[in-house]
Amino acid sequence: MGRRATGSVFPQGEVIRCQFQWQGERVSETFHGLSPLKPRDMAIAKRMMVDIIEKIGHGVFDYAGTFPDSPRAAVSETGIRTLGQALDQFLANKSHMAQRTRDQYRNAADEWREVFGNDLVLSRAVFSEFQKKINKPWPDPDPDTPWKWSSEARFNNAMIPMRGAIELARADNPKLPDLLKGIDYRKKDDPKPDPVRPAEMGRILAHIRSAYGDRPWAWFAFAFSTGLRPSEQCVLLQSDIQNGRVEVSKSQDKDGSLKPTKANGTRFVDMSPLAIEAVRVASAWTNDGGEIFQNPRTDKPWRGNKSQYEQFWTPTLKKLDISRRRAYCTRHTFATTLLAHGARIAYVSDQMGHTTPSMIEKTYHRWLHDADGGAAKKILEGAFG
């Protein structure tokens, strides 16, 4: 560990002066407005000196702010100097973005302010200590359970305003070291697809219909047989159904508003007899807005898929003793069922709205081995029999 910084306060003529170690030099400054003839002023100067030494030790001392008339202040950093200023500028630059996104950035920025302090002078930050706090901003609540970020996605999202802030600060002060050097975005572990088997799908749909009624059944029957994302199915209108196909051109944002589909385009999904029947059943409750699927407990269009998951899906799996899965597995079940019956990868990709067929190969490669009904194995046996 380095030697602790020290400082001294002393009278000099009609002013009070101080000396302390700063960036490898012994510097002297004047406490303006304080008189060495007044014991109270000398006590104030000593307390100020203690505060300066403490801030230097923590890397948050603002030289220009403490001694604005000093020649050293004139050559100190200009523009963004503190973490708070950098975060403020980052948020100001994002004023054009959606309110929900701005709120997420603001919440993350406030967390970083709490961790580092709003007045942290970036040029005084200790590189190793700064990075330690990035990776572990909060202390361990339990010594036996070391603290860690709740998820890789949570870390990546929190780092967006921090990275933006540091980038802005370095644009103002080119000599500022990259405090985030070596801290990369973390690779998210996407949950592996866990579809249900066709027999399980039949049991699930039968139980939902008998226990909860036609409307929840129609939601899940349509989800299983079309592979639509929940955000797309929530805003599906009667006018989107034409000639046995579904036109998918929009989806629901988290605040209930409309947004483009994930691939920012329109696709047409073929409807099976099960999907057609689901629409016929649900149409009995279609409201004036034209939304096909309604929440039976509110008689309003669904908002996301949380209610369906909590009220119908999870209790059904528990009742049937089927291992717990996300309700999103209806989409995975659609894909794997088609592949198992020999559907071409390009067709499945088009139906699901992927930007490239490689997504199907990457996500569902486990189910592709037997998708040809054993034809490839027969070729192998014939070639080397």
Side-chain angles (χ1 to χ4, degrees), residues 80 82-83 85-87 89-90 93-94 122 130 159-181 185:
I80 295 174
T82 67
L83 178 61
Q85 290 173 336
L87 289 169
Q89 186 60 58
F90 171 83
N93 290 352
K94 302 303 177 183
L122 294 171
F130 192 90
M159 286 302 297
I160 292 175
M162 176 59 82
R163 291 184 191 279
I166 297 300
E167 183 179 342
L168 290 169
R170 297 187 73 205
D172 265 1
N173 304 303
K175 293 184 178 180
L176 182 70
D178 183 4
L179 296 171
L180 301 178
K181 183 178 181 180
Y185 282 109

Side-chain angles (χ1 to χ4, degrees), residues 39 63 92 115 120 139 154 175 206 274 300 358-359 362 382:
Y63 204 112
V115 171
L120 171 67
R154 173 80 175 82
K175 293 184 178 180
L274 179 59
K300 295 180 179 180
S358 64
M359 285 289 295
K362 177 182 177 182

Side-chain angles (χ1 to χ4, degrees), residues 14-202:
E14 298 181 354
V15 298
I16 300 176
R17 299 274 290 173
C18 65
Q19 283 189 344
F20 54 93
Q21 198 76 12
W22 175 247
Q23 295 184 335
E25 298 180 44
R26 194 69 177 173
V27 299
S28 298
E29 294 293 348
T30 300
F31 289 124
H32 294 286
L34 299 179
S35 171
L37 303 178
K38 299 179 179 179
R40 181 174 177 274
D41 284 0
M42 285 296 296
I44 291 174
K46 291 179 181 179
R47 288 197 298 270
M48 292 176 66
M49 190 69 260
V50 171
D51 184 62
I52 289 171
I53 297 303
E54 183 175 348
K55 287 182 176 178
I56 291 175
H58 288 89
V60 296
F61 177 56
D62 182 359
Y63 204 112
T66 306
F67 300 108
D69 298 326
S70 170
R72 286 186 174 81
V75 296
S76 65
E77 311 99 308
T78 59
I80 295 174
R81 295 184 296 111
T82 67
L83 178 61
Q85 290 173 336
L87 289 169
D88 288 342
Q89 186 60 58
F90 171 83
L91 295 173
N93 290 352
K94 302 303 177 183
S95 60
H96 64 285
M97 302 188 76
Q99 183 64 48
R100 178 171 60 87
T101 303
R102 297 202 308 272
D103 289 343
Q104 291 174 345
Y105 287 161
R106 184 175 293 104
N107 291 338
D110 288 344
E111 288 183 341
W112 290 126
R113 295 179 206 271
E114 184 177 345
V115 171
F116 289 101
N118 200 51
D119 297 327
L120 171 67
V121 179
L122 294 171
S123 62
R124 314 292 180 246
V126 178
F127 181 84
S128 59
E129 293 299 321
F130 192 90
Q131 295 217 342
K132 284 180 183 178
K133 287 190 175 183
I134 287 288
N135 289 303
K136 183 181 176 181
W138 313 108
D140 293 333
D142 181 354
D144 297 327
T145 307
W147 187 95
K148 65 178 183 179
W149 286 93
S150 58
S151 69
E152 309 299 11
R154 173 80 175 82
F155 172 82
N156 291 341
N157 291 338
M159 286 302 297
I160 292 175
M162 176 59 82
R163 291 184 191 279
I166 297 300
E167 183 179 342
L168 290 169
R170 297 187 73 205
D172 265 1
N173 304 303
K175 293 184 178 180
L176 182 70
D178 183 4
L179 296 171
L180 301 178
K181 183 178 181 180
I183 297 181
D184 300 321
Y185 282 109
R186 298 179 180 178
K187 183 178 180 180
K188 294 185 291 185
D189 294 326
D190 294 328
K192 296 180 179 179
D194 192 13
V196 298
R197 296 188 295 272
E200 291 176 325
M201 180 181 70

